[in-house]
């Protein structure tokens, strides 16, 4: 998941993309795997650079507009009150003026469309540019011949002034409107890329490095793993690392999507680009450059925005037959109007045929899915939901069963002392003795006991004659007293009577807590209850998921009493305990065989096979890299509230895509018959190529505007 470049995170580069399928991106030349069209080079702007393609299209648009406006006024001036342009010009001069104004627009400003249209013919993969090139080309060439050699046209094609009709203004206006659509699309795409740029801009430019006892500000790319950094109040944390000294609250909302500040102290992990509160922190760098969480988020969002959702195949299949069908309809329109249309028949036939080609351009169809995917994945990144690919985003909407690993997903994944019962009533003394023995152990339960004494600010004593009894516990001497810390079999084996602790032990066991006994000088001194606390957001998130109709299945390798206790607290009826790591994937398979669409949420290496087996794997960002690589969705914060946001994002994005496809299909379904002249027999209405081009641009604009609404969707 690391970025390919170390520094800077994003710089200018050349990549190759398909004109018809912009989601197809390759590092080098080749053919589009969808339509076979030759990929075109495109320079991708860096963080502070403008998109060169947008700059070029914008320049072409303004030049085209500057020439098309006077062209329209000249060609249609007699229709405007007070502007008898045609009557003021010498006979035969008007076509030449229009030719001079239209030629730069069509041949220079519209050149990219002709190049792409020709490439589509060569590659036998017709697309929107095929229609644009044919429509504008036919209108321009017909007008060019009419201006140069009007005498070759039959009488039936001449107007009332005895001149053949010319459509320079139509061809120029079409090019101008299509350029406007291209500029709008490129601007919209750059706005979807703003999600990535906004993430990049979160990172500070410098870090305060401590070197040889001195503090100095250095560029971020000079920071190395292991360097010590000072983070002053109000500053952004420069890089991922761990706190060595100090305490503060840190605003992590820009990375995790969570609004509440997080308290940080010694040994706490901090994320680069988050904002320090009022305290001062001394930290050590753990991940730099492409290894930081921010860099990985940028990489994942970038990959997701270029991926293709399965629903895109529908648009691709439609486009494959749609363009040839439109060309056939255009040809039929020309033939029918040539025989049945009003005088001059050939002129009307040409106008309607060109209008069909232009209004049927599937621009909106090509934009419908990629635009929604790009905006949706960018929105998710801002909310701490990282989508690995568009397929995961689409499949997530169909999920009806969510399998959740307990430890680290439902729970915090860090055992904590939740109860202490001392025979003499002094819980602190009991914890102090147990922790003094356990401080030499690396066992998670022992670490929890030591952590509890730190929370209570208890000073530990030195343990002597320390011995480890595998699978049972520890013993040693603390303050000249013989101390034993372990499970029930250990104490019974040593002949220590623990019958007086049976009631509290049963109570803790019924709650799913692990019970640790403590004996001092051969007598039971008390017991300690340790459990993995449920995350604060878990209960509400599960209620939200169940309300959305999802079946929740909890998996855990813990004992049945521990699993039952957690399930009871969370109101879960489906759970499986004592599931070995290699069996989790089998549980997912069994559910899939029942016809269910399964999402699996986990955070550990042992969850990776199940994450890969599931229809959608949801990895906790606080877990292992293996789990995150196996999942299609990664939750930066690592709690179930992120799954709720991911499901909401999936539903909103897929709803948006369907709306876009509806706009595109309904537009063409209505527009093509009107352009062909279906309304003329009843209402005498014809659609000019200029209006057809405007309608085509409007359809693309509607799809773009609808997609951009996802940036404000509530998750």
């Amino acid at each position: 998941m690391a970025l390919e470049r170390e520094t800077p995170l994003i710089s200018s580069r050349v990549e190759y993309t398909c004109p018809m399928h912009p989601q197809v991106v390759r590092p080098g030349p080749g053919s589009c795997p969808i339509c076979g069209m030759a990929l075109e080079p495109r320079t991708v702007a860096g963080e502070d650079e403008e998109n060169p393609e947008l700059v070029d299209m914008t320049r072409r648009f303004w030049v085209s507009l500057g020439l098309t406006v006077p062209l329209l006024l000249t060609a249609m001036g007699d229709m405007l009150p007070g502007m008898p342009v045609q009557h003021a010009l010498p006979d035969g001069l008007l076509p030449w003026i229009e030719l001079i104004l239209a030629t730069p627009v069509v041949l220079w400003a519209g050149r990219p469309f002709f190049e792409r249209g020709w490439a589509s013919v060569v590659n036998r993969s017709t697309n929107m540019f095929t229609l644009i090139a044919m429509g504008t080309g036919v209108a321009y060439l017909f007008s060019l011949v009419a201006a140069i050699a009007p005498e070759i046209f039959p009488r039936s094609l001449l107007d009332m002034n005895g001149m053949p009709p010319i459509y320079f203004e139509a061809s120029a206006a079409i090019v101008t409107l299509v350029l406007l659509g291209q500029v709008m699309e490129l601007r919209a795409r750059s706005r979807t890329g703003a999600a990535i740029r906004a993430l990049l801009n979160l990172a500070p430019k410098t870090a305060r490095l401590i070197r040889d006892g001195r503090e100095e500000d250095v560029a971020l790319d000079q920071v190395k793993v292991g360097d010590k950094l000072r983070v002053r109040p109000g500053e952004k944390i420069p890089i991922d690392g761990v706190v060595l000294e100090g305490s503060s609250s840190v605003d992590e909302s820009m990375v995790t999507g969570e609004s509440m500040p997080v308290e940080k102290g010694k040994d706490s992990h901090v994320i680069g680009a988050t904002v320090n509160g009022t305290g001062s922190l001394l930290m050590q760098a753990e991940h730099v450059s492409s290894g930081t969480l921010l860099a990985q988020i940028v990489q994942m969002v970038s990959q997701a925005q270029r991926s293709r959702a399965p629903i895109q195949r529908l648009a691709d299949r439609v486009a494959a037959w749609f363009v040839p069908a439109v060309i056939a309809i255009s040809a039929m329109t020309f033939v029918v109007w040539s025989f049945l249309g009003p005088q001059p028949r050939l002129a009307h036939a040409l106008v309607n045929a060109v209008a069909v080609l232009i209004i049927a351009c599937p621009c909106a169809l090509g934009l419908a899915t990629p635009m929604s995917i790009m905006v949706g994945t960018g929105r998710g990144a801002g909310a701490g939901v990282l989508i690995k690919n568009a397929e995961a985003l689409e499949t997530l909407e169909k999920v009806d069963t969510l399998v959740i690993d307990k430890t680290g997903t439902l729970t915090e994944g860090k055992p904590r002392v939740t109860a202490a019962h001392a025979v003499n009533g002094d819980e602190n003394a009991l914890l102090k003795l147990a922790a003094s023995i356990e401080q030499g152990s690396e066992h998670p339960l022992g670490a929890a006991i030591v952590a509890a004494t730190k929370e209570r600010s208890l000073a530990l004593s030195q343990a002597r004659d320390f011995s480890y009894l595998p699978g049972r516990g520890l013993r040693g001497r603390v303050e000249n007293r013989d101390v034993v810390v372990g499970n029930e079999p250990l104490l019974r084996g040593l002949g220590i009577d623990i019958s007086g602790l049976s009631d509290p032990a049963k109570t803790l066991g019924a709650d799913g807590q692990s019970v640790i006994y403590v004996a001092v000088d051969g007598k039971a001194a008390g017991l300690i209850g340790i459990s993995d606390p449920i995350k604060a957001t878990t209960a509400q998130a599960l209620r939200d998921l169940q309300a959305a109709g999802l079946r929740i299945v909890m998996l855990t390798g813990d004992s049945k009493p521990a699993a039952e206790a957690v399930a009871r607290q969370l109101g879960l009826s489906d759970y499986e305990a004592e599931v070995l790591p290699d069996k989790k994937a089998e549980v997912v398979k069994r559910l899939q065989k029942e016809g269910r669409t399964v999402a699996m949420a986990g955070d550990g290496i042992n969850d990776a096979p199940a994450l890969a087996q599931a229809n959608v794997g949801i990895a906790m960002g606080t877990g292992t890299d293996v789990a995150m690589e196996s999942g299609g969705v990664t939750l930066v914060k690592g709690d179930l509230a992120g799954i709720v946001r991911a499901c909401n994002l999936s539903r909103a994005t897929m709803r948006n895509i369907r709306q876009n496809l509806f706009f595109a299909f309904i537009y063409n379904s209505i527009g093509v018959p009107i352009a062909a002249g279906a309304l003329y027999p009843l209402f005498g209405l014809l659609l000019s190529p200029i209006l057809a081009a405007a309608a085509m641009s409007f359809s693309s604009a509607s799809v773009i505007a609808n997609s951009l609404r996802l940036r404000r969707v509530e998750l």
Side-chain angles (χ1 to χ4, degrees):
M1 218 158 67
L3 293 173
E4 297 177 1
R5 298 167 301 282
E6 291 298 315
T7 56
L9 289 176
I10 282 189
S11 59
S12 296
R13 67 186 187 279
V14 175
E15 60 186 19
Y16 291 77
T17 184
C18 175
M20 183 58 189
H21 302 94
Q23 68 272 23
V24 175
V25 179
R26 298 290 184 269
S31 300
C32 175
I34 303 170
C35 63
M37 194 171 185
L39 301 182
E40 296 183 352
R42 178 179 67 181
T43 302
V44 181
E47 177 183 349
D48 300 318
E49 299 175 33
E50 288 189 277
N51 184 337
E53 186 179 6
L54 175 58
V55 172
D56 178 61
M57 285 294 181
T58 303
R59 183 188 304 113
R60 292 177 187 271
F61 167 71
W62 285 114
V63 171
S64 177
L65 182 64
L67 294 172
T68 300
V69 170
L71 174 59
L72 289 172
L73 294 175
T74 301
M76 307 172 68
D78 58 337
M79 302 179 187
L80 303 175
M83 294 187 64
V85 177
Q86 293 181 344
H87 300 295
L89 295 174
D91 292 341
L93 183 58
L94 181 63
W96 293 96
I97 293 177
E98 294 185 22
L99 172 61
I100 293 171
L101 291 172
T103 298
V105 176
V106 176
L107 300 186
W108 176 78
R111 178 179 175 181
F113 307 144
F114 289 102
E115 290 176 342
R116 295 173 183 180
W118 176 251
S120 71
V121 174
V122 171
N123 289 280
R124 298 180 181 178
S125 176
T126 53
N127 54 44
M128 57 175 280
F129 296 108
T130 314
L131 303 182
I132 293 171
M134 287 183 64
T136 55
V138 168
Y140 178 80
L141 291 175
F142 179 90
S143 303
L144 179 64
V145 175
I148 296 175
E151 68 278 359
I152 69 172
F153 288 86
R155 182 177 296 275
S156 62
L157 199 57
L158 303 181
D159 59 20
M160 292 182 297
N161 299 319
M163 296 292 294
I166 55 175
Y167 300 104
F168 285 124
E169 79 284 359
S171 58
I174 291 168
V175 169
T176 303
L177 288 168
V178 175
L179 281 169
L180 175 61
Q182 290 289 294
V183 170
M184 292 172 61
E185 178 185 342
L186 290 168
R187 286 191 182 279
R189 289 186 184 279
S190 67
R191 290 170 71 184
T192 61
I196 294 179
R197 290 193 296 274
L199 287 171
L200 287 172
N201 289 333
L202 291 176
K205 306 302 180 186
T206 61
R208 194 161 187 82
L209 178 66
I210 299 176
R211 181 183 294 160
D212 300 328
R214 295 182 302 170
E215 296 185 9
E216 60 176 323
D217 291 329
V218 300
L220 204 61
D221 57 7
Q222 295 183 29
V223 178
K224 299 179 177 59
V225 174
D227 282 348
K228 293 182 179 179
L229 307 171
R230 174 75 65 190
V231 184
R232 292 169 291 191
E235 289 185 335
K236 287 186 176 182
I237 293 172
I239 217 81
D240 295 4
V242 62
V243 176
L244 300 177
E245 296 177 8
S247 61
S248 183
S249 59
V250 177
D251 179 3
E252 297 183 341
S253 60
M254 64 287 298
V255 175
T256 65
E258 297 294 332
S259 58
M260 294 299 295
V262 181
E263 295 297 323
K264 301 291 183 180
K266 190 176 185 301
D267 297 330
S268 296
H269 290 273
V270 289
I271 304 171
T274 55
V275 181
N276 184 27
T278 57
S280 177
L281 299 175
L282 176 65
M283 62 170 289
Q284 186 175 46
E286 285 190 327
H287 303 286
V288 299
S289 189
S290 61
T292 64
L293 176 62
L294 181 62
Q296 294 179 39
I297 290 174
V298 171
Q299 177 70 358
M300 186 174 289
V301 173
S302 179
Q303 290 177 345
Q305 289 187 341
R306 294 172 179 172
S307 61
R308 301 176 67 245
I311 198 172
Q312 175 67 34
R313 297 176 194 141
L314 171 62
D316 292 338
R317 287 197 298 268
V318 170
W321 62 260
F322 181 75
V323 175
V326 167
I327 295 174
I329 293 172
S330 177
M332 289 175 58
T333 300
F334 182 82
V335 172
V336 171
W337 278 91
S338 297
F339 290 98
L340 303 178
Q343 293 293 342
R345 289 196 179 108
L346 289 180
H348 281 90
L350 176 65
V351 169
N352 285 286
V354 170
V356 169
L357 292 174
I358 297 303
I359 201 169
C361 288
C363 308
L365 192 60
L367 289 172
T369 299
M371 283 297 300
S372 296
I373 294 298
M374 291 176 71
V375 179
T377 52
R379 174 68 181 92
V385 178
L386 305 183
I387 307 298
K388 192 173 183 180
N389 53 61
E391 183 175 0
L393 185 64
E394 179 175 338
T395 306
L396 191 58
E397 184 201 31
K398 305 171 185 175
V399 167
D400 54 26
T401 303
L402 177 62
V403 178
I404 306 177
D405 173 60
K406 179 180 78 69
T407 304
T409 305
L410 294 175
T411 65
E412 294 180 359
K414 298 178 181 178
R416 294 178 58 186
V417 171
T418 50
H421 176 81
V423 174
N424 62 5
D426 191 348
E427 295 180 359
N428 285 346
L430 179 73
L431 288 171
K432 179 179 177 180
L433 288 173
S436 296
I437 291 290
E438 292 284 4
Q439 65 182 330
S441 168
E442 295 181 355
H443 195 280
L445 299 185
I449 296 174
V450 174
T453 60
K454 290 183 178 180
E455 292 176 0
R456 302 188 184 200
S457 300
L458 302 177
L460 302 185
S461 302
Q462 184 67 37
R464 301 178 183 275
D465 302 329
F466 174 86
S467 61
Y468 172 59
L469 307 170
R472 294 185 295 168
L474 306 168
R475 72 181 303 174
R477 292 189 63 80
V478 179
E479 299 174 353
N480 294 321
R481 305 174 74 181
D482 187 19
V483 179
V484 177
V485 181
N487 55 23
E488 180 179 348
L490 172 61
L491 270 70
R492 291 192 182 280
L494 295 174
I496 299 174
D497 182 14
I498 57 173
S499 58
L501 299 174
S502 59
D503 288 342
K506 287 181 181 179
T507 301
L508 294 178
D511 288 338
Q513 299 187 47
S514 299
V515 179
I516 304 297
Y517 291 88
V518 181
V520 179
D521 293 332
K523 296 182 179 180
L527 52 80
I528 299 170
I530 299 176
S531 65
D532 186 3
I534 295 173
K535 292 179 180 178
T537 57
T538 295
Q540 182 59 50
L542 287 177
R543 286 194 291 270
D544 292 341
L545 291 168
Q546 289 171 327
L550 268 67
R551 173 188 175 188
I552 310 296
V553 179
M554 182 184 76
L555 294 185
T556 179
D558 284 353
S559 64
K560 290 184 178 179
E564 182 181 359
V566 172
R568 184 172 60 251
Q569 292 181 59
L570 296 175
L572 297 178
S573 57
D574 289 343
Y575 65 90
E576 297 195 27
E578 301 176 359
V579 179
L580 298 177
D582 59 341
K583 300 297 182 182
K584 291 183 178 181
E586 294 183 7
V587 174
V588 174
K589 283 183 183 179
R590 187 181 72 238
L591 291 169
Q592 289 172 327
K593 288 180 179 178
E594 295 174 3
R596 295 187 170 273
T597 304
V598 182
M600 167 72 189
D603 72 330
I605 293 175
N606 58 353
D607 297 321
L611 290 171
Q613 174 63 39
N615 299 93
V616 180
I618 303 174
M620 300 295 146
T622 51
T624 63
D625 289 341
V626 174
M628 287 187 279
E629 286 293 337
S630 301
V633 178
T634 297
L635 307 179
V636 176
K637 185 66 176 178
D639 62 33
L640 291 189
I643 298 182
V644 177
R645 290 195 290 270
C647 290
N648 290 339
L649 175 66
S650 174
R651 286 192 287 269
T653 303
M654 295 310 301
R655 183 168 59 248
N656 192 270
I657 289 175
R658 294 189 186 99
Q659 291 167 352
N660 286 348
L661 290 174
F662 173 79
F663 290 152
F665 284 131
I666 199 68
Y667 159 79
N668 283 307
S669 299
I670 296 173
V672 170
I674 293 176
L679 297 181
Y680 184 80
L682 295 176
F683 305 104
L685 295 178
L686 292 175
L687 187 65
S688 74
I690 297 175
L691 292 178
M696 181 265 293
S697 298
F698 174 77
S699 71
S700 298
S702 65
V703 167
I704 292 171
N706 189 55
S707 299
L708 291 176
R709 290 193 308 112
L710 284 172
R711 297 193 304 170
R712 298 184 299 274
V713 69
E714 288 292 331
L715 300 181

